[in-house]
Amino acid sequence: MPNSEPSTQRSSLQTLRGLLPFLRPYRRQFIYAGIALLIAASATLAIPAAFRQMIDLGFGSSGDRQIHDVNLTFLALFGVATILGIATAARFYMVSWLGERVTADIRNAVYSHVVTQSPQFFETTQTGEVLSRLTTDTTLIQTVVGTSISMALRNLLLMSGGLIMLFVTSVKLSILIIVMLAMVVLPIILFGRRVRQLSRDSQDKIADASAIAGEILNAMPTVQAYTHEQIEARRFSGFVENAFGTAMRRIRARSLLTMMAILLVFGAIVFVLWLGANAVMDGRMSGGQLGQFILYASIVAGALGALSEVMGDAQRAAGATERLLELLAAHSPIQNPAHPAMLPARSSQSAGGARLSLEAVSFSYPSRPGTLSVADLTLEVAAGQTVAIVGASGAGKTSLFQLLLRFYDPQSGVIRLDGVPIRDLHLHDLRQAIGIVPQDTVIFSANAMENIRYGKPEATDAEVMQAARLAAAHEFIERLPEGYASFLGERGVRLSGGQRQRIAIARALLKNPPLLLLDEATSALDAESERLVQGALEVAMQGRTTLIIAHRLATVQRADRIIVMEHGKIVETGNHATLVEQNGVYARLAALQFNLDTQEQPTTP
């Protein structure tokens, strides 16, 4: 993730300004909430004045006049309470709606932004951390938008109005209490930055724990196979305890801040009220005035205490906002061109296949800038041709596929599809023209029908079933408990490796692209399934340009051309027979496989 250290120097308010783009669309709702807030605050501030009238006029008069004044005062109080109740309910509804709506918008914005990032982003960012930011951090922001902002404004209004009414009631006592209450600001300033940094650290620790949990839960078969359950439980416990320790430091800082604020505020109030009580006894102030002053002082003190709590929430939300804004500020190096070019029109998607050319392409991964994965590679593939790419692990085969899909851009050289540089194409147009069956099959938590339809969302059920037949998947899908409606489990855990591979092949065939990339597409199949899929792939490859990464010679031998890669370069090219005769890298790989295949044959007793 980007370095966040400089951002910790910014104030909470500066950081929370980053939420303004998400708040602006709902100005009308904020206005409604503000009106309700003003009415509720005004009603609250009217209550002490009503009490003063009750004490001075009601209890100060006698007979019928006293009863009349008391009745009127209590009727007025009930009216104020009714207004207060209605306005408070309206305010609560509006700000709660705003909190939920803005949080949903932020989650959508962050998720939509993250899914557009290139693989380079996910080389350095754990998915568990992203999920933590989408859940825990947005919940903190929901608290601020849906509660804390409203509480802050409410208490600012109450404090401001209360201070004004304190001066109206008694200038001398008001000056004394303000001077003493001003002392509360100092600890808030001193501890504010500390609490904010600890809040940020606490969220980071929680994200670390979420990331490690997600990684282990996705690898449970391996964990259990190596009997690492207790080891991983202890490792996760370490992360949790680390997060707990950081949270406790934050809680201690906030507790100290709250304690100091309460002691100073109420100590000041008690001292000033003692002076007021002496003024009443000396006749310099009426009982109603003192009662009014007490209530307004309580309102001001309560508002100030609530503001210190809100400040703590704001500190936590500022840390969460920083983390979310970091995600939104991350820009993928793979961008659509300002004026995208168009691929040549086709009479049908598979007519003739796509023409592919690579001109002096060199590429190294951002995480390994000193190592070339593809080195000065030049390759021409005619439309409709099938080219097999072989080589040892690390030769650059998969890197080549990632460049064709423009998951990365090469540092030098040009890749063209039908004569158009792929950098000039819109990413959607480029990837729509390419179908891929990856080595690591991805099965989504959905039924078989939807997993295959992922290749073409608008496909009919009949088209999905036809693609499954071509991939030799129809029969085993039909045997599932609910056929094509059968849920395949998270990551396809209810299927065998070969079945998952055939689902992925069906998905690519349904897409029906002019360029097909097969990355060890038959690697997880048994001999019978491989024979079925191989026949289906041969039909699918007709009239379509196909690049195949494969080690099995059964696949390689059927290719129009074989290129052999080593250290990112093409070292040999030709067909199976000519490459074996050259007695080079390919011949060595072929000899190794023949030996392995011979060793795997069952012996006759």
Side-chain angles (χ1 to χ4, degrees):
M1 294 303 300
N3 185 9
S4 59
E5 190 62 31
S7 64
T8 60
Q9 303 303 318
R10 301 165 62 197
S11 71
S12 296
L13 289 178
Q14 286 176 317
T15 301
L16 291 174
R17 283 196 191 104
L19 298 176
L20 286 178
F22 298 99
L23 303 177
R24 287 194 188 102
Y26 307 109
R27 285 188 288 264
R28 181 184 300 175
Q29 286 82 357
F30 272 105
I31 291 172
Y32 292 157
I35 292 171
L37 179 63
L38 281 170
I39 294 173
S42 299
T44 302
L45 291 171
I47 291 174
F51 269 98
R52 176 184 176 181
Q53 295 297 317
M54 181 184 68
I55 294 171
D56 287 347
L57 298 179
F59 297 149
S61 56
S62 61
D64 294 339
R65 180 68 181 172
Q66 182 184 37
I67 296 172
H68 180 265
D69 289 341
V70 169
N71 290 340
L72 283 179
T73 301
F74 277 100
L75 282 173
L77 276 173
F78 180 75
V80 170
T82 301
I83 295 172
L84 177 61
I86 294 171
T88 301
R91 174 187 64 83
F92 174 79
Y93 175 83
M94 290 307 306
V95 298
S96 297
W97 184 92
L98 284 166
E100 296 289 347
R101 182 67 266 167
V102 170
T103 302
D105 290 349
I106 291 173
R107 283 183 177 139
N108 286 331
V110 172
Y111 186 80
S112 299
H113 185 71
V114 167
V115 296
T116 63
Q117 298 301 304
S118 70
Q120 178 179 343
F121 173 85
F122 296 99
E123 284 184 22
T124 56
T125 306
Q126 292 176 301
T127 54
E129 182 177 352
V130 175
L131 292 175
S132 173
R133 298 189 183 198
L134 281 171
T135 53
T136 308
D137 289 355
T138 51
T139 300
L140 287 174
I141 291 174
Q142 179 182 349
T143 300
V144 169
V145 176
T147 303
S148 298
I149 290 178
S150 171
M151 291 294 293
L153 292 174
R154 174 180 179 273
N155 286 291
L156 279 173
L157 285 173
L158 290 177
M159 188 175 72
S160 302
L163 286 172
I164 292 171
M165 294 307 297
L166 283 176
F167 274 97
V168 171
T169 306
S170 172
V171 175
K172 180 181 176 181
L173 292 181
S174 298
I175 292 174
L176 280 172
I177 201 168
I178 286 173
V179 169
M180 301 190 72
L181 290 178
M183 298 171 60
V184 178
V185 176
L186 183 61
I188 293 176
I189 294 175
L190 289 176
F191 286 96
R193 290 185 179 180
R194 174 66 176 163
V195 171
R196 180 181 174 205
Q197 182 58 48
L198 287 172
S199 298
R200 163 92 193 208
D201 292 344
S202 179
Q203 294 306 115
D204 285 340
K205 300 303 182 187
I206 293 171
D208 290 342
S210 298
I212 193 66
E215 178 184 347
I216 297 307
L217 291 176
N218 284 329
M220 280 311 298
T222 302
V223 172
Q224 292 176 350
Y226 283 88
T227 64
H228 272 223
E229 296 94 333
Q230 296 303 317
I231 295 174
E232 295 300 343
R234 286 195 297 272
R235 190 155 72 103
F236 180 73
S237 177
F239 279 94
V240 171
E241 290 302 321
N242 199 0
F244 173 76
T246 305
M248 288 309 300
R249 287 195 294 275
R250 171 180 58 80
I251 291 169
R252 280 194 292 271
R254 284 197 64 180
S255 299
L256 183 60
L257 174 61
T258 303
M259 181 191 72
M260 295 179 70
I262 290 174
L263 285 176
L264 289 172
V265 167
F266 286 96
I269 290 174
V270 169
F271 175 71
V272 173
L273 291 183
W274 175 72
L275 294 177
N278 281 284
V280 171
M281 289 186 290
D282 292 341
R284 289 179 281 113
M285 178 182 282
S286 70
Q289 282 179 305
L290 180 60
Q292 177 177 297
F293 189 88
I294 292 171
L295 289 175
Y296 280 125
S298 299
I299 289 173
V300 171
L304 194 58
L307 282 173
S308 69
E309 286 294 317
V310 170
M311 183 70 72
D313 290 336
Q315 300 286 356
R316 295 187 68 196
T321 301
E322 280 181 334
R323 289 155 50 86
L324 288 168
L325 293 179
E326 281 177 4
L327 284 181
L328 289 172
H331 291 290
S332 172
I334 308 300
Q335 296 290 331
N336 286 311
H339 304 287
M342 299 293 292
L343 285 169
R346 298 175 183 276
S347 57
S348 66
Q349 277 188 299
S350 61
R355 191 173 77 257
L356 182 66
S357 66
L358 292 86
E359 303 168 8
V361 172
S362 293
F363 166 71
S364 58
Y365 287 97
S367 57
R368 305 187 298 275
T371 304
L372 282 176
S373 297
V374 176
D376 197 29
L377 189 146
T378 297
L379 176 66
E380 291 284 340
V381 181
Q385 192 175 40
T386 298
V387 175
I389 307 169
V390 300
S393 297
K397 306 184 297 297
T398 300
S399 298
L400 180 59
F401 277 19
Q402 291 185 320
L403 292 175
L404 295 178
L405 286 159
R406 210 177 162 222
F407 290 159
Y408 298 91
D409 280 333
Q411 279 76 36
S412 61
V414 180
I415 303 173
R416 300 179 191 274
L417 186 66
D418 281 337
V420 183
I422 64 173
R423 281 179 185 252
D424 295 342
L425 293 171
H426 195 284
L427 287 172
H428 179 270
D429 294 340
L430 168 66
R431 292 168 184 171
Q432 198 64 26
I434 301 174
I436 183 168
V437 179
Q439 184 174 6
D440 297 323
T441 306
V442 175
I443 301 295
F444 298 98
S445 296
N447 61 36
M449 182 72 74
E450 294 307 315
N451 261 285
I452 297 175
R453 188 178 274 128
Y454 201 84
K456 184 182 177 184
E458 70 277 10
T460 64
D461 290 357
E463 289 175 319
V464 170
M465 291 180 183
Q466 179 58 23
R469 288 188 182 95
L470 288 173
H474 178 73
E475 289 186 5
F476 85 75
I477 293 175
E478 286 284 276
R479 289 195 299 269
L480 294 174
E482 298 176 52
Y484 280 85
S486 297
F487 179 69
L488 303 183
E490 186 177 3
R491 294 178 289 114
V493 293
R494 298 183 180 182
L495 300 178
S496 68
Q499 289 172 334
R500 289 196 294 270
Q501 198 80 327
R502 279 179 276 172
I503 292 283
I505 293 170
R507 185 187 297 157
L509 294 177
L510 179 65
K511 189 177 184 181
N512 195 27
L515 176 60
L516 186 61
L517 307 179
L518 305 177
D519 187 355
E520 294 286 0
T522 60
S523 62
L525 304 182
D526 54 52
E528 178 63 19
S529 296
E530 182 181 9
R531 183 185 64 79
L532 294 171
V533 172
Q534 196 63 52
L537 288 176
E538 287 180 11
V539 173
M541 288 188 290
Q542 290 179 6
R544 178 180 284 116
T545 305
T546 308
L547 267 61
I548 306 171
I549 294 176
H551 292 121
R552 298 194 181 186
L553 295 182
T555 305
V556 172
Q557 287 174 323
R558 290 179 171 84
D560 298 320
R561 182 156 50 112
I562 302 168
I563 63 171
V564 184
M565 293 187 66
E566 195 173 58
H567 305 302
K569 299 180 179 180
I570 296 177
V571 293
E572 295 175 6
T573 184
N575 58 33
H576 173 72
T578 58
L579 290 175
V580 170
E581 288 178 2
Q582 289 178 16
N583 200 28
V585 176
Y586 180 84
R588 186 170 67 252
L589 292 173
L592 285 171
Q593 186 169 135
F594 276 131
N595 289 336
L596 288 174
D597 289 346
T598 302
Q599 292 170 14
E600 289 174 0
Q601 295 297 321
T603 58
T604 303

